[in-house]
Amino acid sequence: MPWDESLVNSLVYDEPDPKQGRVLSYVQSLNEALRIALEDNESVIVMGQGVDDPSAMFGSTKGLQDRFGESRVFDTPLSEEGMMGVCTGAAMRGLRPVYMHNRPDFILLAFNQLITHAAKCHFMDNGLTQVPLVVWAAIGRGWGSGAQHSQAIQGLLMGVPGLKILMPSTPYDAKGLMLQAIQDNSPTIIFEHRWLMKKNGFVPEGKYLVPIGQGVCRREGEDLTIVGASHAIELAYQASKLLAADGVDVEIIDLRSIQPIDDQLIEDSIRKTGRLLVVDTGWAIGGVCAEIGFRAVEKWFSYLKGAVRRVGLPDVPTPAGYALEQHYYPTAQNIVDVVKDMCRK
Amino acid sequence: MVQYPYEGQGFKDWSGALEKYSDSFLIDLFYKMLRIRLIEEEIENRYFDDLMKTPIHLVIGQEATAVGACAALSTSDLLYSGHRTHGAYLGKGGDLKKMLSEMHCKANGCAGSRGGSMHLIDPDVGMAWSSAIVGGAIPIATGAALASQYKSDQNVTMVFFGDGGTEEGVCSESLNFASLKQLPIIFFCENNFYSVQSPLRTRQSQRDIFRWAEGHGINSSVVDGTNVLEVYEATKSAVEKIRDGGGPHFIEAKVYRFRAHGGAGDDSQTGYREVEEREMWERHCPVESYYSFLDQNNLGIKSQRPELQKQIEQEIRDCFEHALKSPEPKKADLFKYVYAD
Ligand SMILES: Cc1ncc(C[n+]2csc(CCOP(=O)(O)OP(=O)(O)O)c2C)c(N)n1
């Protein structure tokens, strides 16, 4: 059992009403997506360290090897760069590998194959080859994950041309984006968040796709726009409830895909509210916050009533200990404070 | 002091083996090596015109590996390579016009001027891919072999890399994975003893590279890389075993590059290796030693050579001319193929 299971089990989310639709947990929804993809297309293979073990990648790959066999769902050596290259080569030859990692930290070992090979093959080959693969990992947080098991590295990858980067926040999107990513012909990375794994939500049966590059408005509001993705949306949502009690009405834009980014959705919202706060699970410097903030200044400056602000991680590696962690990760209250400050001006 | 002397036997014991080959096969091997040599020499001659704005890594001295190994493959078999691409590309049958256009940065280059000389590909003849990152193509080739196994398409995948390539972590990772899954792949190491100007002795402990490969549970052998027939036989035997369902093979070929690591001309005089060492290997030149061997065995090569040479020279002139007058890519081309449709 993963070491942080009890922590993840203890998290509380709004519960969907089962009378209004089928409810699945985030992990169940991922499992269903992988099952459908494997059924749907013979070219799909799923690999990663421990995908066939009892923990089954937090449960997301549970039962898949039994059902589809060892040639389609298999454990790998601890060779992140090598296996990334294997996926790339297999993808160029017509397979659709899904390569799963427990944590994004392990993808750092594969950067040469991911960034300098997979992301560039199609371009370098003048379109002669394609690299339809999915790299998947769940960002860790808490229970001593610390500096080497909690890195949210999306910001490092956003600037690499040729990659698509997805960060779902709901079970519905987790399934629809996984299915879309597997179908996409470019290398696509999915960063999940460990804290969302037990969150429940409505998930339709069967196959459906969530388009890449399209965000969604999670909450309409008039006073200020909060833009983010993944678990940062959960925080923004909690903050919005606190703010509503104080008469502040925020709009929440869930990007779902941080590369490419749904500019139109952000623009329409800022045009209405005139204020922008960007939230992210990663470092505030040089990542999602920095990029969206800069776009706002560059493209939508005339709609802005005040400075763009951001709530991300401080410019510090993650501490392992519980007490230090409380000072490290932003909270819903942090978001509330920043929003109130912005709206005062 | 000569650090890495030639220790092979040349064609000493090969005359008796000749009867199993057809004359045309034997002459074709010579033709292909000579062609690569002449193409490389012409690229070198013209390099300082600065019209080929690309790094070059010549294979002069290493023709027998590309030609011998590729002769054992069929067109649909896949070949991957590192930065030293010219021999692999031409050995596999890559289009010379497209290669020279690529080197002249033209729109009709084999990669539309997006790859350059270190990224020559020609999918039509199975020249599948190459990487300018040392070792980078090795796991990608391994993945291609995984796809072949998965689809049961009977293709053999081969990947060329240098002695330096074996030092990259992905090489071990790939050997392990190929061995684990018994993939249909040949890892072909061209050991020319140097990585740029660094000799093996400053990079690896004293060991045989093929023995190290063997430690991964892979069937491994070493050949004289100046002997095109020895290279051919080793590769052919590996290909046959793989087609019979055998797992991966590793072949180490001892070779020597007669030129600098990159660019035109030799740089031995800078002192990292002895001029005398190069001259020793030049006496075992893969093209000329094979030529003498054929001649001694009365294959009529002497009378054919002038005509073959003329034919190749004409082809080279035509292909350079074609490259020079080919169109350049346009600004709009730059933005294509970032994502696949
Ligand atoms: C990862 C990486 N490190 C360093 C280089 C620079 N480099 C290019 S070729 C080369 C020499 C490689 O030697 P070897 O693999 O033996 O091949 P050879 O050039 O002898 O054919 C080096 C160090 C590179 N391209 N990639």
Side-chain angles (χ1 to χ4, degrees), chain B residues 83-84 132-134 162-165 168 192 194-196 261:
Chain B
H83 57 285
R84 203 170 292 285
I133 297 296
V134 172
D163 40 290
E168 296 290 355
N192 62 14
Y194 296 91
S195 158
V196 191
H261 163 73

Side-chain angles (χ1 to χ4, degrees), chain A residues 42 72 79 81-83 85-86 89-90 92-93 95 113 117 121-128 162-164 185-186, chain B residues 78 110-112 114 119 121 129 131 133 136 139-140 143-144 147 150-151 170 173 177 334 336-341:
Chain A
E42 273 282 319
R72 300 195 65 195
S79 305
E81 187 190 351
M83 292 311 302
V86 165
M92 286 164 77
R93 297 294 304 164
L95 300 194
Q113 282 298 325
H117 292 83
C121 295
H122 186 62
F123 178 88
M124 285 171 69
D125 297 349
N126 205 24
L128 286 172
L163 294 177
K164 297 186 179 180
N185 288 326
S186 297
Chain B
L78 301 171
C110 58
R114 293 143 170 272
H119 189 59
I121 60 168
W129 217 73
S131 176
I133 297 296
I140 292 180
Y150 185 83
K151 296 186 284 187
V170 276
E173 295 183 2
F177 187 69
L334 174 63
K336 285 187 196 158
Y337 307 126
V338 174
Y339 292 125
D341 296 333

Side-chain angles (χ1 to χ4, degrees), chain A residues 250-291:
Chain A
V250 296
E251 180 147 310
I252 300 176
I253 302 294
D254 182 352
L255 292 171
R256 303 199 282 203
S257 149
I258 60 160
Q259 179 63 288
I261 293 172
D262 190 343
D263 277 349
Q264 193 61 52
L265 188 66
I266 307 174
E267 176 177 340
D268 291 346
S269 181
I270 301 181
R271 192 191 300 222
K272 178 170 70 173
T273 66
R275 292 190 175 87
L276 174 65
L277 168 66
V278 193
V279 293
D280 190 34
T281 53
W283 292 290
I285 285 186
V288 177
C289 294
E291 177 59 27

Side-chain angles (χ1 to χ4, degrees), chain B residues 21 30 56 71 85 95 98 147 169 178 180 194 213 236 256 269 276 282 296 317:
Chain B
Y21 308 109
F30 174 71
I56 52 170
T85 44
D95 186 302
K98 288 182 185 168
L180 173 74
Y194 296 91
K236 185 163 154 272
Y256 206 80
Q269 74 288 350
E276 197 188 308
E282 278 173 336
Q296 281 153 21
R317 268 196 302 277

